[in-house]
C-alpha cells in the first residue's frame, strides 16, 4: 500500500483533528483529569493551538479552571542580551511558589514541551548556568510535589518552528514543521484507529515488564556496548515503574506522552565503570555530543564530550548529587520512536529511543514502599539534586544483564531487545 | 500640510520604532523602573510584539527579571462554552497570591491592555458575573497593593485585532488595526519629537490643576448637563491626584499611559442627584449604553440603561460598595483623546475623554494623609468594593462647580473646559 496515498485519503484526519486527538490523550490518558480538578498548564507561545485544544478538552472533562502560563523564547533571549550582569541569580519564585500552592490545593499539571533545543547555545554559559541554578532552586518546592507524584501530571509535545528546523535541518521551514508534527502524532499514538485503546494496550505491555523486573529483585544492571561497560547498582527496595502511574491523590495517568521506558532508582554510591552516550544530549539550549563518563563508587570522576564539554562540566557541578545517578531505564531498540531514526533533541522523545540513565534527582515513587521519608530514601540510596538529566546509553549494540544479590548475571536485553 | 504625506515621509518612524518608543515610555515614564527591580507583566497574547519590546526595555533599564503572564481570549471563551455549571466560582488564587507576593518582594507591575470589548457579550451573564466575582475576590490581595500604590505600576495599551474592529467597525481588519495603533500612539504621545519630554510637560500641567484643587478644599462638586444634575460630596481630607504618582516604595511614575485626568475620592454617603453617562460603558465584555442613575445619600437607588441593563444591575449588585462612588475625575473636553472623537471601548482611553465617576473601590492614596488605616479611610468616607468601574459623565455641554464647606459654588468648568 502506498502510504502517501493513504495519508491523502478522505479518511485521513486533518491536522485540526489530530491536534484534538492529542489534546484528548493529554487530558484523558496523560492526566486522567478528575471532574472538578483545576489544571495548571505551561506551554511555549508557539504551542497556543494545542494549548487551546487541551483547554477545551479539559473543560469538557470537568476541569474547574484551566490556567496556562505561556513562555516566549524571544523574551528569554532578551534577558541574556540586555540584562545587567548582576541579575542572573534571580528567578520567579513567586510564580513557582504559586504553582506549588495550586498543586497542594489539588491542581493537576500539564506541560506542553516544544523548546528550541539550541535557543541558548550562543549565550554566555556562565549566565545560563546561574539563571538555571536560580530557577531550579526556586522551582524546587513545586518540582518535589511532581517528582513525589503528589498530583497527576503529564508532558505532551507540540511541534514548534525552531524545534522543527533543528530536527529537519535540510527541509524548508514549513515542511520541517509538518514532518515534526507527523513524528509527534505517530510517537503519541494519535494516528491509531482508537488512540485511547492503543494506549491501554501499550500500558499493559509496559506493566508486564515492570512486573517481571520487580519480581527479580536485581541488585544491579550491567550495560555493555561500544565504549560502555557500566554496572549500575539499584537502590534497596527499588520498584520498577513505567507507563501508568498512580499519584498520591489517587489518580492514575501517563506522566509522559509518549513513553516507552520502564525505569527505577539506582543506588547513588554503587555505580562503577565507563559509559558512552549513544545520542547527543540537548541540555538547556546546548547540544552535548559524544559524552563519555567514568563512575567510581557512584560518582562521576571523569567526564568528556566532543562538543559542549564546558556545559557538561557545569551541569555535573550544579551540586553534589548532579554527578550521581537518579534513574536507570530500559527501552527496547525496536520501539516506534527508535525506529523513526530521528534525533528529536528533546528528552521526552529521545529517552524513549534507547535505554538511559539520568544524573541527579531520583523519583521517590520508584520504591516498593511509597511512603519513605527523606532519611529512609537517603538510606536506601536515592539520590538528591537540583537537576534530573536523562541521557541515552542504549543502542542496537547494547547488551544488558540483571545481576542478583549473589552476583549471578542473567541476560535481560541482547542487541538492544528484550530477551523475553 | 497633508498629514497623509507626512506619515509617509522618510522621517516618519516605522511601526517597530513607534512600538519601541511606547515600550520605552512604559518602562521609563510609566513605571520609572528601578535598577534591580523585578517586573511582573500581564498582556493579551496578541500584544506579544509590544510585550517583547517592553521586556527588552525593562532589561536595558536594569530589571532583575521580567515575568510575563499572557492571556488568551479563546481559552477564556472555552471556559464559558465547555466548563461545567458548578465550576464558575473558581479563580486562580494561587497565581494572584503569587503576584501579591512578588509585589511584597518589591516587583513593579505593568499591564498591557488590549481586551476585546465584546468578548463575553454572547455568554451567559450569570456565569460571567460568578467568574468575575470569584476572580475579584482572589485578586483582592494583589489589587490592594496596587490601589494603595505600595509599588510602582502602570497600564499601557496594545492594539489587538478584535479591539480594532470594535472601534472601527466599517474598516477592513488590517486598516482598523493600523488606525487603532495610530490612535494609541497619538494618545500616548509617542509621535511627539521627544516623547519623554512631552510627558514631563504634560505631567507639569496636570500638577498645576491638582495644586489648585487641593488648595480650594471643596466639600463637593456639582455636575450639570443634559440629563445630569449631580452633587458629589468629597471625602474628608481628600487629595487630588493625576499624572505622576509616588508609590510607597518611593518610585514616581505615571500609572496610566495615556492619562488626562485629575481625580480624587468622593465621600461615599454624600452624593445626591441624577446623572446620565455621556459614553457607552464597556464592562467585562458587554456594552452598557445610556446609563442613567439616581443617587440618594451616596447610594444608587435607580439604575437604567438602554442596553445591558441586566449587566449594569449585576455590576452594582456585586457588593454593598458597588453602588457607591470611589472616584470622581475632571477632564477637559479639549484634550487629544476627546478630540479624536473615537469611542475606544476601553476605560484607559475613554475615561480620559471626559470627566467621570467610578463606582466601587476608592484609591486610598487620594488623601492628604497617605497613611490612613482602614478604619480612618472608612471614617473619611472612602468606599470599599470588589469593583472599580469608571464611567463618563462629562461632555462639551457639562458645567462643573466647586462647592465649599459653606455651600458657596464657584465655576470650575464651563462647556467642558477649565474656567481658568
Ligand atoms: Zn527515563
Ligand atoms: Zn528521567
Ligand atoms: Zn479616573
Ligand atoms: Zn478609575
Amino acid at each position: 500500500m502506498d502510504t502517501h496515498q493513504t495519508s491523502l485519503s478522505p479518511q485521513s484526519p486533518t491536522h485540526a483533528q489530530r491536534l484534538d486527538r492529542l489534546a484528548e490523550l493529554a487530558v484523558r490518558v496523560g492526566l486522567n483529569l478528575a471532574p472538578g480538578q483545576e489544571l495548571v498548564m505551561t506551554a511555549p507561545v508557539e504551542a497556543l493551538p494545542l494549548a487551546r485544544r487541551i483547554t477545551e478538552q479539559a473543560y469538557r472533562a470537568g476541569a474547574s479552571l484551566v490556567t496556562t502560563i505561556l513562555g516566549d523564547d524571544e523574551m528569554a533571549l532578551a534577558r541574556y542580551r540586555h540584562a545587567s550582569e548582576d541579575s542572573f541569580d534571580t528567578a520567579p519564585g513567586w510564580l513557582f511558589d504559586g504553582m506549588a500552592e495550586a498543586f497542594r490545593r489539588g491542581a493537576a499539571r500539564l506541560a506542553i514541551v516544544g523548546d528550541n533545543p539550541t535557543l541558548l547555545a550562543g549565550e554566555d554559559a556562565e549566565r545560563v548556568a546561574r539563571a538555571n541554578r536560580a530557577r531550579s532552586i526556586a522551582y524546587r518546592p513545586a518540582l518535589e510535589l511532581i517528582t513525589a507524584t503528589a498530583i497527576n501530571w503529564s508532558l505532551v509535545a507540540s511541534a514548534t518552528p525552531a524545534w522543527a528546523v533543528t530536527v529537519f535541518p535540510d527541509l524548508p521551514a514549513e515542511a520541517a514543521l509538518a514532518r515534526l508534527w507527523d513524528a509527534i502524532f505517530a510517537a503519541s499514538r494519535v494516528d491509531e484507529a482508537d488512540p485511547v485503546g492503543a494506549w491501554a494496550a501499550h500500558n499493559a505491555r509496559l506493566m508486564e515488564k515492570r512486573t517481571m523486573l520487580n519480581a527479580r529483585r536485581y541488585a544491579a544492571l550491567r550495560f555493555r556496548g561500544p565504549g560502555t561497560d557500566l554496572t549500575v547498582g539499584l537502590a534497596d527496595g527499588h520498584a520498577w515503574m513505567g507507563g501508568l502511574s498512580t499519584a498520591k491523590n489517587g489518580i492514575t495517568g501517563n506522566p509522559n506522552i509518549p513513553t516507552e521506558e520502564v525505569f527505577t532508582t539506582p543506588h547513588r554510591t554503587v555505580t562503577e565503570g565507563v559509559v558512552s552516550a549513544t545520542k547527543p544530549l540537548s541540555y538547556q539550549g546546548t547540544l552535548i555530543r559524544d559524552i563519555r563518563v567514568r563512575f567510581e563508587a557512584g560518582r562521576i570522576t571523569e567526564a568528556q564530550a566532543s562538543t559542549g564539554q564546558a556545559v557538561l562540566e557545569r551541569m555535573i557541578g550544579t551540586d553534589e548529587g548532579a554527578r550521581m545517578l537518579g534513574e536507570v531505564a530500559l527501552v527496547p531498540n525496536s520501539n516506534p520512536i527508535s525506529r523513526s531514526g530521528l534525533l528529536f533533541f528533546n528528552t521526552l522523545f529521545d529517552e524513549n529511543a534507547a535505554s538511559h540513565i539520568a544524573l541527579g534527582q531520583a523519583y521517590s515513587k520508584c520504591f516498593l514502599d511509597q511512603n519513605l521519608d527523606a532519611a529512609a530514601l537517603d538510606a536506601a540510596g536515592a539520590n538528591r539534586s537540583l537537576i534530573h538529566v536523562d541521557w541515552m546509553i542504549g543502542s542496537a549494540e547494547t547488551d544488558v544483564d540483571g545481576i542478583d544479590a549473589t552476583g549471578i548475571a542473567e541476560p535481560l536485553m541482547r542487541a538492544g531487545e528484550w530477551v523475553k
Side-chain angles (χ1 to χ4, degrees), chain A:
Chain A
M1 192 192 289
D2 180 348
T3 54
H4 209 99
Q5 186 139 15
T6 303
S7 80
L8 291 172
S9 78
Q11 282 74 37
S12 270
T14 64
H15 181 70
Q17 287 168 326
R18 293 164 98 195
L19 269 189
D20 252 344
R21 288 183 188 177
L22 183 57
E24 189 184 357
L25 284 177
V27 171
R28 298 193 183 267
V29 173
L31 294 173
N32 190 14
L33 196 72
Q37 197 175 21
E38 200 172 327
L39 174 59
V40 176
M41 178 158 50
T42 54
V45 72
E46 294 86 356
L48 194 57
L50 178 60
R52 286 171 171 165
R53 304 274 171 167
I54 289 171
T55 300
E56 177 179 332
Q57 290 286 348
Y59 281 126
R60 285 180 185 275
S64 61
L65 187 68
V66 182
T67 306
T68 301
I69 309 291
L70 295 167
D72 179 55
D73 282 353
E74 284 204 30
M75 289 181 183
L77 279 180
R79 183 182 191 191
Y80 291 100
R81 306 275 161 84
H82 305 294
S84 72
E85 189 56 44
D86 58 358
S87 71
F88 286 92
D89 303 309
T90 314
W94 62 270
L95 178 60
F96 297 146
D97 288 350
M99 288 172 66
E101 182 56 28
F103 302 158
R104 282 188 288 265
R105 294 180 199 174
R109 168 86 168 88
L110 187 72
I112 303 180
V113 306
D115 308 271
N116 174 355
T118 59
L119 180 70
L120 302 179
E123 306 309 318
D124 179 77
E126 179 66 27
R127 288 181 168 191
V128 173
R130 284 169 60 199
N132 284 328
R133 185 160 201 287
R135 197 175 175 85
S136 294
I137 293 169
Y139 191 55
R140 179 143 206 164
L143 184 63
E144 279 181 349
L145 293 166
I146 290 171
T147 55
T149 52
I151 54 157
N152 47 330
W153 60 270
S154 193
L155 305 181
V156 66
S158 168
T160 57
W163 181 18
V165 298
T166 306
V167 180
F168 301 101
D170 299 330
L171 293 182
E174 230 176 292
L177 192 63
R179 282 286 299 280
L180 183 55
W181 269 124
D182 283 343
I184 290 170
F185 289 138
S188 307
R189 295 181 160 74
V190 162
D191 293 332
E192 312 255 348
D194 170 15
V196 174
W199 271 93
H202 178 53
N203 281 329
R205 287 190 298 271
L206 291 169
M207 189 60 77
E208 211 178 278
K209 296 298 175 198
R210 281 168 60 170
T211 305
M212 179 271 286
L213 288 164
N214 280 329
R216 299 289 171 85
R217 311 303 322 144
Y218 291 125
L221 301 181
R222 185 176 178 191
F223 292 84
R224 277 173 299 177
T228 293
D229 187 348
L230 184 74
T231 299
V232 177
L234 301 184
D236 306 336
H238 70 271
W240 288 85
M241 306 288 290
L244 288 174
S245 170
T246 300
K248 294 197 176 121
N249 64 7
I251 299 174
T252 301
N254 272 93
N256 285 185
I257 289 180
T259 188
E260 302 288 340
E261 62 174 342
V262 291
F263 61 99
T264 193
T265 297
H267 193 295
R268 72 180 178 287
T269 67
V270 181
T271 297
E272 297 283 344
V274 293
V275 58
S276 297
T278 50
K279 299 216 176 209
L281 171 62
S282 173
Y283 180 70
Q284 297 178 332
T286 300
L287 271 185
I288 311 177
R289 293 183 188 273
D290 305 316
I291 300 175
R292 189 179 155 89
V293 155
R294 177 178 300 280
F295 284 90
E296 295 179 67
R299 295 177 76 251
I300 291 178
T301 54
E302 288 172 35
Q304 293 170 319
S306 65
T307 63
Q309 173 142 8
V311 176
L312 174 64
E313 284 171 8
R314 267 201 199 83
M315 178 180 90
I316 66 179
T318 305
D319 52 26
E320 178 58 21
R323 56 177 67 238
M324 299 191 287
L325 293 186
E327 178 190 345
V328 59
L330 297 176
V331 182
N333 196 58
S334 61
N335 81 63
I337 294 172
S338 181
R339 277 199 308 266
S340 79
L342 296 173
L343 180 63
F344 285 84
F345 300 87
N346 186 299
T347 299
L348 179 59
F349 292 81
D350 290 327
E351 74 161 343
N352 288 304
S355 292
H356 57 271
I357 50 181
L359 294 172
Q361 179 70 30
Y363 289 105
S364 61
K365 69 179 172 181
C366 287
F367 284 90
L368 296 174
D369 180 347
Q370 295 273 299
N371 295 307
L372 297 178
D373 62 14
L377 286 167
D378 195 65
N383 193 28
R384 274 174 67 87
S385 172
L386 290 171
I387 68 166
H388 174 103
V389 181
D390 300 273
W391 48 291
M392 280 45 86
I393 66 168
S395 73
E397 298 170 274
T398 301
D399 294 341
V400 185
D401 288 347
I403 300 172
D404 73 13
T406 68
I408 294 170
E410 54 183 21
L412 274 177
M413 300 183 109
R414 285 295 175 263
E417 300 302 327
W418 291 106
V419 168
K420 45 189 143 191

